[in-house]
Amino acid sequence: MDIYDLIIAVVTAGGGGALITFLGIRSFGDAWLNSKFEQKLEAFRHDRAKELERFKFENDSAFKARDRIQEKQFEGCMSIWASLKDAQSKLLVSINELQRYPNIRWMTDHKREEFLREFDFPKSTQDEILSSDDPQALFTKIISRQRFIEAAEEFSKFDRVTRTYELFFDQTTFELIRSVTDAMHEVLLDKEMYLDGHKESGRAAWTQYQEKCVPAIRALVSKFQEILKIESL
């Protein structure tokens, strides 16, 4: 039945009043439905806007967190590398088998005393060297011990720096970093044993450095280049 047939049926059944009532109800119904539709549509838009805002917030937060981690990783790579180089240079001075020492054996007592004043030795240490039956041997031993202490102190700084940035590296990368500290620590232990009288440990320290420290440092270089996106030359 089309709209015209419906109107005729309403008029026939109830007259003009029925038609007016019908049209009024229809008009009211259309307005009510439109109002409800607009309310639902507005609520839908509001919910979608809130959802989009939440998504943007979470997305921005994720990007900011990633950027902060990358910044800390960059900072960590640079700090660890600088500290490693300082520790490595001191370690090499300490374990180098071709170390040279000033020769004080043939100096006069006066010249030897003047020379020793140039070193940062306590007065008691200077007196001990000057009064020794073999001042050259004692002087060499003290210098070797001092170089070892400097290497150990620089290693301790390196060790602390690596631990400071543990939070910002994945487990595999941090284990690689720690493999360098572990290898250097073993070398220092061999050197200390040599200074305490275990002569065979002197050669062991250098061998340990070549066989363990060098490969571990090379692996760390590759990893840091990867993190910093530096192309290998």
Side-chain angles (χ1 to χ4, degrees):
M1 181 182 295
D2 60 26
I3 186 64
Y4 298 107
D5 294 333
L6 179 62
I7 291 174
I8 293 171
V10 170
V11 172
T12 301
L19 176 61
I20 294 173
T21 301
F22 169 77
L23 294 177
I25 291 173
R26 179 183 175 188
S27 176
F28 173 79
D30 289 346
W32 182 83
L33 288 174
N34 288 336
S35 174
K36 287 297 181 180
F37 176 77
E38 288 295 334
Q39 290 178 14
K40 293 290 184 180
L41 182 60
E42 185 61 28
F44 175 79
R45 289 171 177 169
H46 180 69
D47 290 343
R48 295 290 75 77
K50 286 174 60 179
E51 185 70 17
L52 180 60
E53 191 66 27
R54 185 184 65 81
F55 174 76
K56 289 173 62 178
F57 174 78
E58 292 178 353
N59 199 43
D60 289 344
S61 298
F63 276 114
K64 288 178 181 178
R66 187 193 64 182
D67 289 343
R68 284 195 295 269
I69 291 175
Q70 288 180 336
E71 287 175 5
K72 295 301 291 186
Q73 285 183 341
F74 179 85
E75 177 187 309
C77 287
M78 302 307 293
S79 297
I80 291 171
W81 185 251
S83 186
L84 168 59
K85 291 291 102 179
D86 291 339
Q88 185 182 22
S89 64
K90 292 292 185 181
L91 181 63
L92 287 172
V93 169
S94 178
I95 67 173
N96 190 348
E97 296 182 293
L98 301 177
Q99 293 185 62
R100 293 181 176 275
Y101 301 89
N103 192 339
I104 65 172
R105 181 174 286 110
W106 310 115
M107 293 181 182
T108 63
D109 291 344
H110 178 70
K111 186 68 175 178
R112 189 180 296 153
E113 185 175 356
E114 283 186 343
F115 179 77
L116 291 176
R117 289 198 195 102
E118 298 177 7
F119 292 83
D120 190 21
F121 292 149
K123 182 66 167 58
S124 58
T125 301
Q126 294 183 36
D127 292 342
E128 185 180 1
I129 295 172
L130 293 172
S131 62
S132 173
D133 294 335
D134 190 347
Q136 180 65 42
L138 182 57
F139 173 74
T140 299
K141 181 179 180 180
I142 291 173
I143 289 294
S144 294
R145 176 65 68 172
Q146 186 178 57
R147 289 172 178 174
F148 169 77
I149 291 173
E150 290 174 355
E153 289 175 346
E154 208 63 52
F155 169 78
S156 294
K157 294 177 184 178
F158 171 53
D159 181 63
R160 288 195 298 272
V161 170
T162 62
R163 295 180 188 279
T164 299
Y165 291 96
E166 179 179 2
L167 179 63
F168 306 104
F169 292 102
D170 60 82
Q171 184 176 355
T172 301
T173 301
F174 188 70
E175 287 177 355
L176 181 58
I177 294 170
R178 293 303 300 172
S179 71
V180 177
T181 63
D182 292 343
M184 293 179 71
H185 186 246
E186 289 184 28
V187 174
L188 283 169
L189 290 177
D190 282 331
K191 182 62 180 182
E192 186 174 29
M193 290 179 64
Y194 170 77
L195 294 174
D196 290 339
H198 300 274
K199 299 303 180 182
E200 70 280 359
S201 296
R203 179 62 183 172
W206 182 256
T207 302
Q208 285 268 38
Y209 176 80
Q210 293 294 331
E211 293 181 354
K212 294 188 176 181
C213 289
V214 172
I217 292 172
R218 285 175 179 168
L220 186 60
V221 169
S222 297
K223 174 54 70 172
F224 278 2
Q225 286 179 334
E226 178 186 331
I227 292 173
L228 299 175
K229 297 180 173 56
I230 299 174
E231 292 184 1
S232 299
L233 300 180

